[in-house]
Amino acid sequence: MYALIDGNNFYVSCERVFRPTLNDHPVIVLSNNDGCAIARSNEAKALGVAMGAPWFKVQHLQESAGLVALSANFTLYGDMSERMMTIAAGLGPTQEVYSIDESFVGLDGVRGDLTQRARTLRSRILQWIGIPTCVGIGPTKTLAKLANHIAKTAERKPGVYPSELAQVCNLASLSAEALHSLFKSTEVGEIWGIGRRIQTQLHDAHVQTVWDFLQLHPHIVRDNWGVVLERTLRELKGESCLSLEEAPSAKKEIACTRSFGKPILTLAPLLEAVSEFASKAAEKLRRQGSATSRVLVFARTSPFRAGPSYSQSVTVPLRHPCSDTPSLVQAAVTGMHQIYRSGFQFAKAGVMLLELEPQGKRQTEFDWPESEPLERKPSHDGDKLMQAVDHLNARYGKGTLSLASTGASRARREWSMKQERLTPQYTTNWDDLPLARA
């Protein structure tokens, strides 16, 4: 048995915890540079604001409907997510954090009424950190994901599903007749892993609902859509094919990219930007215990802005795989020097770390001029320095220690994102700590 705990409209809910006046008002959270809607309250959805809607197209709703738009505060959302996942782990013995607002919990060996336990957990999360959630329970991860969709839809749209399934839906506790009714009422596109393209193909094959999909034979699904969709079908039939990934697998590539808040015309701010990106990527690299041997750097203009266009990238090889920030920043700066051209309005740049391998794996070389081969003895001083930097940044906040090439003053960075509607970092910055006044 599995449970999926999902934070409702998570980014908006995090903002509402510290600004209760936003409750019952239409609220959206905007993407980087305040571009598009990436989270919407139910009230904003009711206004017709679509996911990914450009801000300039819905901006008029500020005056006509009281729409509130906020810049994405990912520092706050990440911290609130960690708190929510810590509480959610109490539902069962195993946990897989699937995304910033979703967590699978294994329920094997958990006794008692699972539905009631889930409702208790939901109340605890709401009381302790103020985030509303919905819980779906099923014999497989795919069924738990589907149950979560039913729980959210039944809460948001009363009448679509039975009201008793709102907030918490336990498919394992329902009768066969009730399950069949739910499956016949649920669009096939709501199944985890079925995107628009496959949904269209299934519609063409007269498969409209989850119930229709369940009537297909696994071999037919595999022959027409592949083994991945066959596995989805078997999961819906109650055959567990996906296990919990309690520890996330190491990434094969690490990227840090960003669109700039305004066009960048000169080399200096681009060097600052890729230095910052390489520093962040290096920290992620060390966190997963890996090293890289190639650094890709790119920069490009905006396809939507008038003027000459330019897009270029270069891969800088490293002599030895490493994870220390100075080496990766030096490679990124070298790459930017190679691809930079004057006369362009740069809108985006980024750094990608390629060919990752375990950090403990050491490369050796032969010194051919010598009579005997010599093994390269790597120094651990750099590793200790990076550990100290990571520790201080974790304790006192990101950016407490950084390389000079990232820029002396964060406030004066030309390449910083546009975040005109950014709320305080309530839970991670002492200066932003909310004050309660009598």
Side-chain angles (χ1 to χ4, degrees), residues 11-50:
Y11 292 171
V12 172
S13 295
C14 289
E15 300 286 358
R16 283 175 164 175
V17 169
F18 300 96
R19 295 179 62 182
T21 55
L22 296 177
N23 292 335
D24 302 322
H25 289 275
V27 181
I28 62 173
V29 173
L30 301 173
S31 61
N32 291 344
N33 294 309
D34 296 343
C36 304
I38 57 174
R40 304 159 297 157
S41 68
N42 292 340
E43 296 81 5
K45 295 174 184 177
L47 290 176
V49 179

Side-chain angles (χ1 to χ4, degrees), residues 32-33 257-262 277 300 347-349 415-418:
N32 291 344
N33 294 309
T257 68
R258 183 174 297 174
S259 295
F260 305 134
K262 63 179 181 179
F277 301 158
R300 65 172 176 81
K348 187 174 183 178
W415 52 271
S416 295
M417 289 190 299
K418 181 174 68 175

Side-chain angles (χ1 to χ4, degrees), residues 149-271:
H149 163 74
I150 294 171
K152 281 199 291 189
T153 305
E155 179 185 41
R156 189 172 64 244
K157 301 177 181 178
V160 177
Y161 295 112
S163 59
E164 60 268 21
L165 300 181
Q167 302 174 355
V168 175
C169 175
N170 183 358
L171 295 182
S173 67
L174 302 179
S175 65
E177 182 180 358
L179 280 176
H180 294 169
S181 177
L182 288 177
F183 293 157
K184 291 176 181 178
S185 303
T186 305
E187 231 287 332
V188 69
E190 300 298 343
I191 299 173
W192 186 30
I194 294 183
R196 291 183 179 179
R197 182 177 61 84
I198 295 180
Q199 180 183 359
T200 300
Q201 294 174 1
L202 289 171
H203 284 177
D204 293 340
H206 306 291
V207 177
Q208 302 290 333
T209 66
V210 175
W211 176 257
D212 297 335
F213 184 63
L214 284 168
Q215 307 315 303
L216 298 178
H217 194 280
H219 291 168
I220 294 177
V221 173
R222 180 178 58 195
D223 292 342
N224 287 275
W225 292 283
V227 67
V228 175
L229 196 62
E230 179 199 4
R231 185 173 59 189
T232 298
L233 176 60
R234 293 186 181 277
E235 284 257 319
L236 286 172
K237 290 178 177 288
E239 179 183 345
S240 184
C241 303
L242 302 172
S243 59
L244 286 186
E245 298 181 10
E246 298 180 54
S249 57
K251 296 180 180 179
K252 297 180 181 180
E253 296 178 354
I254 293 177
C256 185
T257 68
R258 183 174 297 174
S259 295
F260 305 134
K262 63 179 181 179
I264 300 301
L265 306 177
T266 58
L267 177 61
L270 288 174
L271 295 178

